[in-house]
Amino acid sequence: MDRFHIVGGSPLRGEVIISGSKNSALPILFSSLLGGGLEIANVPSLRDIRTAFSLLSQLGIRAEPLFSENPEEKNGRWSSSPSKDGWVERYRLSEDSISAHEAPYDLVRTMRASILCLGPLLARRKRARVSLPGGCLIGARPVDIHLNAFVRMGAKISIDHGYIDAHTSGLTGCDIHLPYPTVTGTENILMAATLARGVTRIFNAAQEPEVNDLAISLNARGAHIEGIGTSSLKISGVDSLVDGSHTVMSDRIEAGTFLVAGALLGDFLTIRNVDVSCLETLLGTLRDMGANFEEKDGSISISRILKPRGTSARTEPYPGFPTDMQAQILPLMAIAEGPSTVVETVFENRFTHVMEMNRMGANIDIHGSRAFVRGGAGLEGASVMASDLRASAGLVLAALIAKGESEIQRVYHIDRGYEKIETKLESIGARIKRVRGEEIS
Ligand code: EPZ
């Protein structure tokens, strides 16, 4: 298992370029199961993306990597022969066979987002057998809302031997009121409704920018989705999709993570390839803590907050404060003057990083879904254990500001969702090294 060795305290300056969004790329990749060819660009090179390709290949989707003839030039020419450095961020996906319909436990276990194959498989192949994702460290994370919607659309669903077994003679559009604006639930229903008979309306739909990106990519391939960006989506089913292309949006959570790094240690750190409009709530919280930003043409610059002030944040569905940024904001709150509070409303157990941050000198108490941060801490380097993707990012930030050396164990979590994080951090002045360990399967 690889680990990071970090020496804290170095200022961060220069530019960092944000990669394509993992949580947008994943549903769009799974939407290739709906048929029609898809050329997809700005795909981040991540562990979860490789897992999605493995599953898609088992489900009969061929993914051909396209290589840039000039890696510096994103809009340049692309070909199927490897470029000199093998640089790849673009793929052409097409159906090889439409007979497979099973997502096995081995793959679903390593990536819960595999559930996103259920909607497209049901709509296109009329049959799906998908391992039921178990609970995970951050919460129970059931998929009841996805399944209830598919039943309403005409699917027959049973659970046997840990698998969701679903079949239909054809999905039919209907009105679906979501009891909670689940992100992957909305995406799954959206994809299924694309090929359903008639009109589907999703009320209380998730409004996360990644849901919009999926909807835009589907419309580019012939789907009829209205209301994109609102909580009411109207999907008029079509018989089939056509060939189309899409560029994945930039990763707002990676951008947010670098923004907090800049608030902690920036010396005019510039973050490029950012859609600032997706970051308003986080920017508001950072402003409350004393940050100033300079925005220009898809980039944002930030310097260290000299005297960060305590504040409060409450995680909520978009456009609220993102749960995926909760672990990263805590080190800034830990060193701020005055107390802060964080209320986690999305997942019931997403504070596993707090114990590790407290071992580094933070003073954070957890009471149920609330974290009370006393503030004023001087963090010190320590050996700590990453427990999930965003928790790892929070610990990396804590180690960057801590005095002395830290070891972050189990960084395979961070490799699921941050492209080349140590290379990017090193390029802006952080002292971070990956220490190689045994490969994780
Ligand atoms: C997506 O997870 C993201 N994953 C998560 O990113 C993110 O934290 C989360 O949305 C919230 O923004 C992907 O996009 C691949 P939800 P998802 O369904 O869709 C409950 C990361 O670090 N719920 O919106 O699984 C659920 O238990 C990750 O990149 C039900 O009760 O989240 C949770 O408490 C982790 N029944 C809440 O809703 C359901 O059927 C929100 O979950 C579905 C969800």
Side-chain angles (χ1 to χ4, degrees), residues 133-405:
C136 81
L137 207 69
I138 64 177
R141 304 184 75 182
V143 289
D144 53 320
I145 302 174
H146 308 224
L147 302 188
N148 289 340
F150 294 139
V151 169
R152 275 189 58 72
M153 295 174 80
K156 298 257 179 299
I157 297 188
S158 59
I159 308 287
D160 76 80
H161 301 285
Y163 276 77
I164 302 163
D165 213 329
H167 62 95
T168 177
S169 54
L171 296 177
T172 308
C174 61
D175 284 359
I176 295 170
H177 296 260
L178 300 183
Y180 186 92
T182 155
V183 176
T184 47
T186 303
E187 292 166 345
N188 234 342
I189 301 163
L190 190 61
M191 290 189 277
T194 292
L195 296 185
R197 249 188 327 263
V199 172
T200 306
R201 287 194 189 80
I202 311 176
F203 299 101
N204 198 25
Q207 298 173 66
E208 266 67 5
E210 294 77 11
V211 177
N212 306 346
D213 209 28
L214 169 67
I216 292 165
S217 80
L218 290 169
N219 277 352
R221 288 149 64 206
H224 282 173
I225 303 168
E226 296 167 69
I228 298 175
T230 74
S231 61
S232 302
L233 296 169
K234 179 180 173 197
I235 307 110
S236 309
V238 296
D239 290 339
S240 58
L241 293 184
V242 297
D243 288 358
S245 62
H246 185 74
T247 298
V248 174
M249 63 176 277
S250 82
D251 195 314
R252 66 190 168 104
I253 304 300
E254 187 195 11
T257 304
F258 277 100
L259 272 170
V260 178
L264 288 165
L265 288 156
D267 176 11
F268 205 75
L269 176 67
T270 298
I271 302 159
R272 281 179 51 201
N273 190 27
V274 181
D275 181 350
V276 177
S277 67
C278 301
L279 289 165
E280 281 310 326
T281 311
L282 174 66
L283 294 180
T285 305
L286 290 173
R287 265 189 212 106
D288 287 348
M289 299 186 82
N292 291 306
F293 312 100
E294 236 175 71
E295 291 171 34
K296 205 166 79 184
D297 304 336
S299 74
I300 181 160
S301 302
I302 180 168
S303 288
R304 177 167 83 91
I305 310 176
L306 295 178
K307 285 191 175 175
R309 296 183 291 268
T311 189
S312 58
R314 181 185 170 87
T315 69
E316 278 174 335
Y318 190 85
F321 188 92
T323 175
D324 288 347
M325 280 304 302
Q326 178 256 102
Q328 299 90 314
I329 199 83
L330 282 176
L332 184 59
M333 291 177 163
I335 63 161
E337 285 181 3
S340 299
T341 319
V342 174
V343 185
E344 171 60 62
T345 76
V346 180
F347 291 109
E348 61 272 27
N349 190 28
R350 212 176 192 183
F351 282 127
T352 51
H353 38 279
V354 164
M355 289 297 280
E356 297 299 272
M357 288 180 188
N358 282 349
R359 292 186 51 245
M360 299 176 81
N363 198 332
I364 309 172
D365 283 329
I366 303 295
H367 292 283
S369 60
R370 274 164 209 271
F372 296 98
V373 189
R374 187 161 305 162
L379 301 187
E380 290 181 350
S383 185
V384 291
M385 185 91 81
S387 51
D388 79 52
L389 167 56
R390 308 302 170 188
S392 325
L395 291 175
V396 166
L397 294 179
L400 288 176
I401 190 73
K403 200 161 155 226
E405 301 180 22

Side-chain angles (χ1 to χ4, degrees), residues 82-94:
S83 65
K84 263 208 304 287
D85 65 355
W87 192 75
V88 60
E89 54 105 68
R90 189 177 286 233
Y91 295 83
R92 188 179 296 133
L93 286 94
S94 50

Side-chain angles (χ1 to χ4, degrees), residues 101 103 108 114-115 117-118 121 128-132 162-165:
H101 60 262
V108 178
S114 309
I115 191 72
C117 68
L118 182 56
L121 283 176
R129 192 170 156 77
V130 178
S131 174
L132 191 62
Y163 276 77
I164 302 163
D165 213 329

